[in-house]
Amino acid sequence: MATSHFATEQYTSEAFVESVGAVLFRMSTQEICVLHLLKKNEYILAKGRRNCGETRQDAAARELTEECGFPCRLLHVNMSTRAPPAIEDEQLGDEARFYTDICEPFTLQIRRLGEGNVKLIWWYIAAVNEDEPSQDRHQHEKDKFTVEFHSFADALEKLTFQMDRDMVQKAIEIVTNTFSK
């Protein structure tokens, strides 16, 4: 029996969970939303599990609104990705290409949850819909964490985990390159 030439892992649906999140920007003030977990005193980004039948994009917007209380939208940005174009006119090699005005995950985190279980976390870039009123968060969430907006530099300093800092730095670069005039 033949085997792949690539290191490969396979998980059935019982062994993985799919989550989505986003780096949430308040564009008018150049700030990023950070959640402060009160019990652990950790600073993290908003994310949550994708429901059955829900697209990753819809789940990301829903989770951000539920956790942060702000209506938001996923941003179309300029970035490189290995995904092929929407319309593939020719067979293209498996390599990163630069695209403009796309709404795709910019990061994938894989967390090992124990023996044979993983969490896949797809990360997007989003912005608060500043012209819409904020929504009330659920009481059980208010007891667990506070929602804070910080300048880019302060958000990078506040985040507890280096992997989150690295991801936010990449999001800042993408947003700056996409929206600077």
Side-chain angles (χ1 to χ4, degrees):
M1 179 178 305
T3 59
S4 174
H5 300 286
F6 303 101
T8 303
E9 296 178 33
Q10 178 172 299
Y11 300 93
T12 61
S13 59
E14 298 90 355
F16 69 87
V17 63
E18 194 173 7
S19 291
V20 289
V23 178
L24 181 60
F25 287 81
R26 183 183 285 152
M27 301 298 277
S28 67
T29 57
Q30 301 266 309
E31 294 176 308
I32 293 173
C33 183
V34 176
L35 305 182
H36 179 203
L37 299 178
L38 300 172
K39 250 186 181 173
K40 295 180 179 181
N41 194 31
E42 293 176 348
Y43 291 85
I44 64 169
L45 301 167
K47 68 169 175 17
R49 291 180 292 184
R50 184 183 65 81
N51 297 335
C52 287
E54 187 176 34
T55 68
R56 289 185 191 122
Q57 292 178 348
D58 289 345
R62 176 185 54 77
E63 284 293 340
L64 284 174
T65 301
E66 285 178 3
E67 290 193 355
C68 301
F70 295 96
C72 62
R73 67 194 179 283
L74 301 185
L75 293 177
H76 287 246
V77 295
N78 304 337
M79 68 176 196
S80 294
T81 180
R82 291 176 70 129
I87 298 172
E88 205 170 348
D89 294 331
E90 60 185 286
Q91 183 64 34
L92 298 172
D94 183 9
E95 59 190 24
R97 286 173 206 71
F98 186 78
Y99 295 95
T100 59
D101 196 34
I102 61 171
C103 185
E104 296 290 332
F106 80 103
T107 298
L108 169 63
Q109 290 178 342
I110 302 173
R111 292 189 184 163
R112 308 232 180 263
L113 302 177
E115 188 62 37
N117 295 308
V118 294
K119 178 187 274 190
L120 307 172
I121 310 168
W122 299 94
W123 291 95
Y124 289 87
I125 298 172
V128 172
N129 291 336
E130 297 184 51
D131 56 339
E132 297 178 29
S134 62
Q135 300 175 3
D136 195 32
R137 293 174 35 234
H138 300 286
Q139 186 59 45
H140 72 276
E141 291 174 341
K142 290 180 183 177
D143 295 338
K144 291 181 182 177
F145 59 85
T146 59
V147 177
E148 305 174 1
F149 278 88
H150 295 281
S151 69
F152 294 173
D154 288 348
L156 290 169
E157 177 99 12
K158 284 261 185 203
L159 287 165
T160 301
F161 302 104
Q162 185 61 46
M163 191 174 289
D164 288 346
R165 291 178 184 158
D166 295 343
M167 182 174 57
V168 167
Q169 182 61 52
K170 179 69 173 177
I172 291 168
E173 291 168 13
I174 291 170
V175 165
T176 302
N177 290 335
T178 300
F179 299 104
S180 64
K181 300 199 185 228

Tab-separated table of all heavy atoms in Angstrom, residues 96-141:
chain	number	residue	atom	x	y	z
A	96	ALA	N	1.919	30.613	-2.567
A	96	ALA	CA	1.222	31.824	-2.130
A	96	ALA	C	1.173	32.837	-3.274
A	96	ALA	O	2.131	32.992	-4.030
A	96	ALA	CB	1.928	32.426	-0.924
A	97	ARG	N	0.009	33.496	-3.392
A	97	ARG	CA	-0.201	34.569	-4.356
A	97	ARG	C	-0.825	35.751	-3.630
A	97	ARG	O	-1.583	35.563	-2.683
A	97	ARG	CB	-1.158	34.121	-5.463
A	97	ARG	CG	-0.582	33.186	-6.462
A	97	ARG	CD	-1.684	32.677	-7.397
A	97	ARG	NE	-1.331	31.399	-7.938
A	97	ARG	CZ	-1.303	30.251	-7.262
A	97	ARG	NH1	-1.660	30.213	-6.006
A	97	ARG	NH2	-0.929	29.128	-7.830
A	98	PHE	N	-0.541	36.939	-4.118
A	98	PHE	CA	-1.106	38.152	-3.527
A	98	PHE	C	-2.446	38.462	-4.186
A	98	PHE	O	-2.555	38.470	-5.413
A	98	PHE	CB	-0.140	39.332	-3.710
A	98	PHE	CG	-0.592	40.567	-2.995
A	98	PHE	CD1	-0.426	40.702	-1.624
A	98	PHE	CD2	-1.203	41.605	-3.692
A	98	PHE	CE1	-0.846	41.837	-0.962
A	98	PHE	CE2	-1.632	42.746	-3.038
A	98	PHE	CZ	-1.444	42.858	-1.668
A	99	TYR	N	-3.454	38.710	-3.337
A	99	TYR	CA	-4.788	39.067	-3.823
A	99	TYR	C	-5.215	40.387	-3.185
A	99	TYR	O	-4.794	40.709	-2.073
A	99	TYR	CB	-5.823	37.997	-3.442
A	99	TYR	CG	-5.591	36.662	-4.084
A	99	TYR	CD1	-4.887	35.671	-3.415
A	99	TYR	CD2	-6.091	36.377	-5.346
A	99	TYR	CE1	-4.676	34.430	-3.996
A	99	TYR	CE2	-5.891	35.138	-5.933
A	99	TYR	CZ	-5.175	34.174	-5.249
A	99	TYR	OH	-4.973	32.948	-5.826
A	100	THR	N	-6.068	41.105	-3.876
A	100	THR	CA	-6.659	42.309	-3.309
A	100	THR	C	-8.139	42.050	-3.044
A	100	THR	O	-8.779	41.260	-3.750
A	100	THR	CB	-6.501	43.513	-4.263
A	100	THR	OG1	-7.125	43.211	-5.504
A	100	THR	CG2	-5.024	43.841	-4.491
A	101	ASP	N	-8.642	42.696	-2.009
A	101	ASP	CA	-10.075	42.692	-1.711
A	101	ASP	C	-10.638	41.276	-1.506
A	101	ASP	O	-11.648	40.919	-2.088
A	101	ASP	CB	-10.842	43.420	-2.826
A	101	ASP	CG	-12.249	43.802	-2.409
A	101	ASP	OD1	-12.458	44.116	-1.221
A	101	ASP	OD2	-13.146	43.770	-3.266
A	102	ILE	N	-9.966	40.488	-0.642
A	102	ILE	CA	-10.470	39.144	-0.340
A	102	ILE	C	-10.845	39.059	1.139
A	102	ILE	O	-10.286	39.748	1.979
A	102	ILE	CB	-9.471	38.031	-0.706
A	102	ILE	CG1	-8.163	38.166	0.078
A	102	ILE	CG2	-9.229	37.990	-2.208
A	102	ILE	CD1	-7.232	36.980	-0.073
A	103	CYS	N	-11.795	38.200	1.430
A	103	CYS	CA	-12.239	37.959	2.805
A	103	CYS	C	-11.997	36.478	3.100
A	103	CYS	O	-12.870	35.638	2.881
A	103	CYS	CB	-13.718	38.320	2.963
A	103	CYS	SG	-14.286	38.179	4.668
A	104	GLU	N	-10.809	36.193	3.528
A	104	GLU	CA	-10.360	34.826	3.806
A	104	GLU	C	-9.644	34.802	5.154
A	104	GLU	O	-9.173	35.836	5.625
A	104	GLU	CB	-9.379	34.361	2.714
A	104	GLU	CG	-9.973	34.253	1.330
A	104	GLU	CD	-10.950	33.091	1.202
A	104	GLU	OE1	-10.797	32.088	1.931
A	104	GLU	OE2	-11.865	33.197	0.362
A	105	PRO	N	-9.522	33.618	5.763
A	105	PRO	CA	-8.731	33.544	6.993
A	105	PRO	C	-7.289	33.953	6.705
A	105	PRO	O	-6.746	33.617	5.654
A	105	PRO	CB	-8.800	32.068	7.388
A	105	PRO	CG	-9.918	31.485	6.613
A	105	PRO	CD	-10.074	32.316	5.379
A	106	PHE	N	-6.691	34.679	7.632
A	106	PHE	CA	-5.296	35.066	7.455
A	106	PHE	C	-4.373	34.227	8.335
A	106	PHE	O	-3.163	34.256	8.178
A	106	PHE	CB	-5.097	36.577	7.704
A	106	PHE	CG	-5.023	36.961	9.149
A	106	PHE	CD1	-3.806	37.250	9.748
A	106	PHE	CD2	-6.175	37.028	9.922
A	106	PHE	CE1	-3.732	37.594	11.093
A	106	PHE	CE2	-6.108	37.384	11.254
A	106	PHE	CZ	-4.894	37.671	11.847
A	107	THR	N	-4.960	33.460	9.244
A	107	THR	CA	-4.179	32.586	10.124
A	107	THR	C	-5.011	31.357	10.463
A	107	THR	O	-6.236	31.450	10.617
A	107	THR	CB	-3.800	33.316	11.428
A	107	THR	OG1	-2.973	34.442	11.120
A	107	THR	CG2	-3.049	32.415	12.399
A	108	LEU	N	-4.329	30.237	10.607
A	108	LEU	CA	-4.928	29.013	11.136
A	108	LEU	C	-4.076	28.563	12.306
A	108	LEU	O	-2.865	28.370	12.158
A	108	LEU	CB	-4.977	27.910	10.065
A	108	LEU	CG	-5.337	26.503	10.566
A	108	LEU	CD1	-6.744	26.457	11.148
A	108	LEU	CD2	-5.170	25.477	9.454
A	109	GLN	N	-4.691	28.427	13.461
A	109	GLN	CA	-4.019	27.852	14.626
A	109	GLN	C	-4.536	26.435	14.810
A	109	GLN	O	-5.727	26.168	14.641
A	109	GLN	CB	-4.305	28.649	15.901
A	109	GLN	CG	-3.666	30.014	15.938
A	109	GLN	CD	-4.035	30.781	17.206
A	109	GLN	OE1	-4.995	30.466	17.895
A	109	GLN	NE2	-3.257	31.803	17.501
A	110	ILE	N	-3.640	25.525	15.179
A	110	ILE	CA	-4.020	24.149	15.496
A	110	ILE	C	-3.582	23.887	16.927
A	110	ILE	O	-2.391	23.982	17.248
A	110	ILE	CB	-3.364	23.155	14.523
A	110	ILE	CG1	-3.767	23.486	13.085
A	110	ILE	CG2	-3.737	21.721	14.903
A	110	ILE	CD1	-3.050	22.667	12.037
A	111	ARG	N	-4.557	23.581	17.778
A	111	ARG	CA	-4.264	23.292	19.186
A	111	ARG	C	-4.489	21.812	19.446
A	111	ARG	O	-5.542	21.274	19.148
A	111	ARG	CB	-5.162	24.110	20.113
A	111	ARG	CG	-4.853	25.573	20.049
A	111	ARG	CD	-5.593	26.346	21.109
A	111	ARG	NE	-5.325	27.772	20.920
A	111	ARG	CZ	-6.038	28.727	21.450
A	111	ARG	NH1	-7.073	28.436	22.219
A	111	ARG	NH2	-5.730	29.990	21.243
A	112	ARG	N	-3.523	21.181	20.011
A	112	ARG	CA	-3.644	19.778	20.399
A	112	ARG	C	-4.350	19.737	21.753
A	112	ARG	O	-3.886	20.326	22.714
A	112	ARG	CB	-2.281	19.131	20.478
A	112	ARG	CG	-1.498	19.373	19.197
A	112	ARG	CD	-0.950	18.128	18.580
A	112	ARG	NE	-0.224	18.433	17.356
A	112	ARG	CZ	-0.749	18.341	16.152
A	112	ARG	NH1	-1.973	17.968	15.988
A	112	ARG	NH2	-0.033	18.615	15.089
A	113	LEU	N	-5.466	19.045	21.800
A	113	LEU	CA	-6.309	19.028	22.994
A	113	LEU	C	-6.126	17.759	23.826
A	113	LEU	O	-6.898	17.499	24.728
A	113	LEU	CB	-7.791	19.158	22.602
A	113	LEU	CG	-8.170	20.394	21.804
A	113	LEU	CD1	-9.635	20.341	21.420
A	113	LEU	CD2	-7.861	21.652	22.599
A	114	GLY	N	-5.163	16.989	23.523
A	114	GLY	CA	-4.963	15.726	24.214
A	114	GLY	C	-4.795	14.628	23.195
A	114	GLY	O	-4.661	14.874	21.991
A	115	GLU	N	-4.819	13.411	23.655
A	115	GLU	CA	-4.572	12.257	22.802
A	115	GLU	C	-5.555	12.196	21.636
A	115	GLU	O	-6.736	11.913	21.811
A	115	GLU	CB	-4.661	10.974	23.624
A	115	GLU	CG	-4.228	9.736	22.867
A	115	GLU	CD	-2.769	9.781	22.434
A	115	GLU	OE1	-1.931	10.298	23.204
A	115	GLU	OE2	-2.476	9.316	21.323
A	116	GLY	N	-5.080	12.522	20.438
A	116	GLY	CA	-5.872	12.358	19.228
A	116	GLY	C	-6.964	13.382	18.997
A	116	GLY	O	-7.798	13.188	18.138
A	117	ASN	N	-6.963	14.501	19.751
A	117	ASN	CA	-7.982	15.538	19.577
A	117	ASN	C	-7.326	16.878	19.270
A	117	ASN	O	-6.312	17.219	19.873
A	117	ASN	CB	-8.843	15.678	20.839
A	117	ASN	CG	-9.658	14.432	21.110
A	117	ASN	OD1	-10.359	13.952	20.246
A	117	ASN	ND2	-9.550	13.916	22.317
A	118	VAL	N	-7.927	17.627	18.339
A	118	VAL	CA	-7.388	18.930	17.978
A	118	VAL	C	-8.509	19.959	17.859
A	118	VAL	O	-9.671	19.622	17.646
A	118	VAL	CB	-6.603	18.893	16.640
A	118	VAL	CG1	-5.352	18.049	16.752
A	118	VAL	CG2	-7.475	18.443	15.492
A	119	LYS	N	-8.113	21.215	18.004
A	119	LYS	CA	-9.001	22.348	17.732
A	119	LYS	C	-8.360	23.139	16.604
A	119	LYS	O	-7.189	23.534	16.684
A	119	LYS	CB	-9.154	23.232	18.965
A	119	LYS	CG	-10.029	24.452	18.718
A	119	LYS	CD	-10.041	25.411	19.901
A	119	LYS	CE	-11.087	24.991	20.882
A	119	LYS	NZ	-11.310	26.011	21.927
A	120	LEU	N	-9.130	23.348	15.536
A	120	LEU	CA	-8.702	24.182	14.416
A	120	LEU	C	-9.333	25.553	14.610
A	120	LEU	O	-10.553	25.646	14.744
A	120	LEU	CB	-9.176	23.585	13.091
A	120	LEU	CG	-8.807	22.129	12.828
A	120	LEU	CD1	-9.507	21.620	11.576
A	120	LEU	CD2	-7.307	21.967	12.720
A	121	ILE	N	-8.517	26.599	14.628
A	121	ILE	CA	-9.038	27.948	14.826
A	121	ILE	C	-8.670	28.794	13.607
A	121	ILE	O	-7.495	29.064	13.358
A	121	ILE	CB	-8.482	28.610	16.103
A	121	ILE	CG1	-8.646	27.678	17.308
A	121	ILE	CG2	-9.189	29.949	16.355
A	121	ILE	CD1	-7.865	28.126	18.527
A	122	TRP	N	-9.700	29.169	12.847
A	122	TRP	CA	-9.534	30.008	11.663
A	122	TRP	C	-9.694	31.455	12.095
A	122	TRP	O	-10.678	31.805	12.730
A	122	TRP	CB	-10.579	29.663	10.612
A	122	TRP	CG	-10.492	28.255	10.131
A	122	TRP	CD1	-11.183	27.171	10.596
A	122	TRP	CD2	-9.668	27.775	9.079
A	122	TRP	NE1	-10.828	26.053	9.901
A	122	TRP	CE2	-9.900	26.394	8.960
A	122	TRP	CE3	-8.745	28.380	8.220
A	122	TRP	CZ2	-9.246	25.601	8.020
A	122	TRP	CZ3	-8.108	27.591	7.278
A	122	TRP	CH2	-8.354	26.228	7.185
A	123	TRP	N	-8.746	32.325	11.747
A	123	TRP	CA	-8.763	33.732	12.159
A	123	TRP	C	-8.961	34.653	10.967
A	123	TRP	O	-8.284	34.527	9.946
A	123	TRP	CB	-7.463	34.080	12.873
A	123	TRP	CG	-7.341	33.413	14.200
A	123	TRP	CD1	-6.699	32.237	14.476
A	123	TRP	CD2	-7.889	33.864	15.441
A	123	TRP	NE1	-6.808	31.949	15.812
A	123	TRP	CE2	-7.535	32.923	16.426
A	123	TRP	CE3	-8.646	34.983	15.809
A	123	TRP	CZ2	-7.909	33.063	17.757
A	123	TRP	CZ3	-9.021	35.118	17.135
A	123	TRP	CH2	-8.646	34.173	18.091
A	124	TYR	N	-9.864	35.593	11.148
A	124	TYR	CA	-10.177	36.626	10.158
A	124	TYR	C	-9.784	37.992	10.704
A	124	TYR	O	-9.386	38.138	11.866
A	124	TYR	CB	-11.684	36.636	9.853
A	124	TYR	CG	-12.162	35.449	9.069
A	124	TYR	CD1	-12.536	34.265	9.700
A	124	TYR	CD2	-12.255	35.499	7.676
A	124	TYR	CE1	-12.983	33.167	8.973
A	124	TYR	CE2	-12.706	34.406	6.946
A	124	TYR	CZ	-13.054	33.250	7.600
A	124	TYR	OH	-13.494	32.180	6.878
A	125	ILE	N	-9.943	38.987	9.870
A	125	ILE	CA	-9.761	40.383	10.265
A	125	ILE	C	-11.115	41.053	10.150
A	125	ILE	O	-11.811	40.887	9.144
A	125	ILE	CB	-8.712	41.078	9.380
A	125	ILE	CG1	-7.350	40.389	9.553
A	125	ILE	CG2	-8.628	42.564	9.709
A	125	ILE	CD1	-6.273	40.865	8.596
A	126	ALA	N	-11.518	41.791	11.197
A	126	ALA	CA	-12.863	42.380	11.239
A	126	ALA	C	-12.794	43.812	11.743
A	126	ALA	O	-11.789	44.247	12.309
A	126	ALA	CB	-13.770	41.548	12.151
A	127	ALA	N	-13.903	44.518	11.545
A	127	ALA	CA	-14.029	45.896	12.026
A	127	ALA	C	-15.398	46.080	12.659
A	127	ALA	O	-16.390	45.496	12.219
A	127	ALA	CB	-13.840	46.896	10.892
A	128	VAL	N	-15.426	46.922	13.683
A	128	VAL	CA	-16.679	47.295	14.329
A	128	VAL	C	-17.491	48.131	13.342
A	128	VAL	O	-16.940	48.997	12.658
A	128	VAL	CB	-16.399	48.124	15.609
A	128	VAL	CG1	-17.684	48.681	16.197
A	128	VAL	CG2	-15.653	47.279	16.642
A	129	ASN	N	-18.790	47.866	13.262
A	129	ASN	CA	-19.696	48.745	12.515
A	129	ASN	C	-20.008	49.921	13.437
A	129	ASN	O	-20.922	49.858	14.249
A	129	ASN	CB	-20.979	48.005	12.124
A	129	ASN	CG	-20.736	46.934	11.097
A	129	ASN	OD1	-19.764	46.976	10.342
A	129	ASN	ND2	-21.606	45.945	11.064
A	130	GLU	N	-19.238	50.963	13.321
A	130	GLU	CA	-19.284	52.059	14.286
A	130	GLU	C	-20.559	52.886	14.207
A	130	GLU	O	-20.879	53.603	15.148
A	130	GLU	CB	-18.043	52.934	14.125
A	130	GLU	CG	-16.764	52.166	14.438
A	130	GLU	CD	-15.527	53.025	14.371
A	130	GLU	OE1	-15.519	54.097	15.014
A	130	GLU	OE2	-14.577	52.626	13.676
A	131	ASP	N	-21.289	52.790	13.111
A	131	ASP	CA	-22.533	53.553	12.977
A	131	ASP	C	-23.738	52.803	13.544
A	131	ASP	O	-24.848	53.319	13.536
A	131	ASP	CB	-22.780	53.930	11.518
A	131	ASP	CG	-22.804	52.729	10.590
A	131	ASP	OD1	-22.255	51.663	10.961
A	131	ASP	OD2	-23.369	52.841	9.491
A	132	GLU	N	-23.525	51.579	14.066
A	132	GLU	CA	-24.610	50.800	14.657
A	132	GLU	C	-24.435	50.741	16.173
A	132	GLU	O	-23.311	50.720	16.669
A	132	GLU	CB	-24.614	49.371	14.092
A	132	GLU	CG	-24.876	49.314	12.601
A	132	GLU	CD	-24.836	47.890	12.060
A	132	GLU	OE1	-25.161	46.943	12.819
A	132	GLU	OE2	-24.471	47.729	10.889
A	133	PRO	N	-25.538	50.698	16.918
A	133	PRO	CA	-25.429	50.657	18.387
A	133	PRO	C	-24.863	49.321	18.866
A	133	PRO	O	-25.068	48.282	18.232
A	133	PRO	CB	-26.873	50.840	18.856
A	133	PRO	CG	-27.713	50.400	17.704
A	133	PRO	CD	-26.919	50.703	16.467
A	134	SER	N	-24.138	49.382	19.987
A	134	SER	CA	-23.623	48.141	20.568
A	134	SER	C	-24.779	47.330	21.124
A	134	SER	O	-25.860	47.855	21.404
A	134	SER	CB	-22.587	48.439	21.650
A	134	SER	OG	-23.173	49.168	22.694
A	135	GLN	N	-24.543	46.024	21.276
A	135	GLN	CA	-25.570	45.124	21.774
A	135	GLN	C	-25.194	44.671	23.175
A	135	GLN	O	-24.021	44.623	23.540
A	135	GLN	CB	-25.706	43.916	20.846
A	135	GLN	CG	-26.086	44.312	19.437
A	135	GLN	CD	-26.107	43.123	18.492
A	135	GLN	OE1	-25.887	41.999	18.880
A	135	GLN	NE2	-26.370	43.398	17.220
A	136	ASP	N	-26.202	44.323	23.967
A	136	ASP	CA	-25.958	43.872	25.328
A	136	ASP	C	-25.398	42.456	25.305
A	136	ASP	O	-25.929	41.581	24.620
A	136	ASP	CB	-27.258	43.926	26.140
A	136	ASP	CG	-27.005	43.830	27.627
A	136	ASP	OD1	-25.941	44.309	28.074
A	136	ASP	OD2	-27.853	43.266	28.335
A	137	ARG	N	-24.313	42.239	26.033
A	137	ARG	CA	-23.736	40.896	26.147
A	137	ARG	C	-24.510	40.094	27.184
A	137	ARG	O	-25.109	40.637	28.083
A	137	ARG	CB	-22.268	41.006	26.557
A	137	ARG	CG	-21.413	41.633	25.485
A	137	ARG	CD	-19.964	41.889	25.911
A	137	ARG	NE	-19.412	40.912	26.794
A	137	ARG	CZ	-18.858	41.210	27.981
A	137	ARG	NH1	-18.805	42.456	28.392
A	137	ARG	NH2	-18.357	40.272	28.722
A	138	HIS	N	-24.453	38.768	27.065
A	138	HIS	CA	-25.111	37.897	28.026
A	138	HIS	C	-24.476	38.061	29.405
A	138	HIS	O	-23.271	38.258	29.520
A	138	HIS	CB	-24.999	36.431	27.580
A	138	HIS	CG	-25.632	36.166	26.253
A	138	HIS	ND1	-26.992	36.113	26.088
A	138	HIS	CD2	-25.098	35.953	25.024
A	138	HIS	CE1	-27.269	35.865	24.822
A	138	HIS	NE2	-26.139	35.773	24.150
A	139	GLN	N	-25.273	37.968	30.451
A	139	GLN	CA	-24.777	38.162	31.814
A	139	GLN	C	-23.654	37.176	32.155
A	139	GLN	O	-22.672	37.544	32.772
A	139	GLN	CB	-25.918	38.030	32.839
A	139	GLN	CG	-25.493	38.357	34.265
A	139	GLN	CD	-24.954	39.776	34.423
A	139	GLN	OE1	-25.527	40.735	33.924
A	139	GLN	NE2	-23.822	39.908	35.105
A	140	HIS	N	-23.793	35.905	31.725
A	140	HIS	CA	-22.750	34.928	32.051
A	140	HIS	C	-21.410	35.305	31.425
A	140	HIS	O	-20.359	34.977	31.969
A	140	HIS	CB	-23.175	33.502	31.661
A	140	HIS	CG	-23.196	33.243	30.193
A	140	HIS	ND1	-24.267	33.572	29.396
A	140	HIS	CD2	-22.272	32.688	29.374
A	140	HIS	CE1	-24.003	33.228	28.145
A	140	HIS	NE2	-22.807	32.693	28.102
A	141	GLU	N	-21.430	36.017	30.317
A	141	GLU	CA	-20.186	36.464	29.710
A	141	GLU	C	-19.628	37.683	30.436
A	141	GLU	O	-18.423	37.822	30.583
A	141	GLU	CB	-20.392	36.763	28.224
A	141	GLU	CG	-20.644	35.510	27.415
A	141	GLU	CD	-20.992	35.781	25.974
A	141	GLU	OE1	-21.396	36.908	25.653
A	141	GLU	OE2	-20.871	34.838	25.165
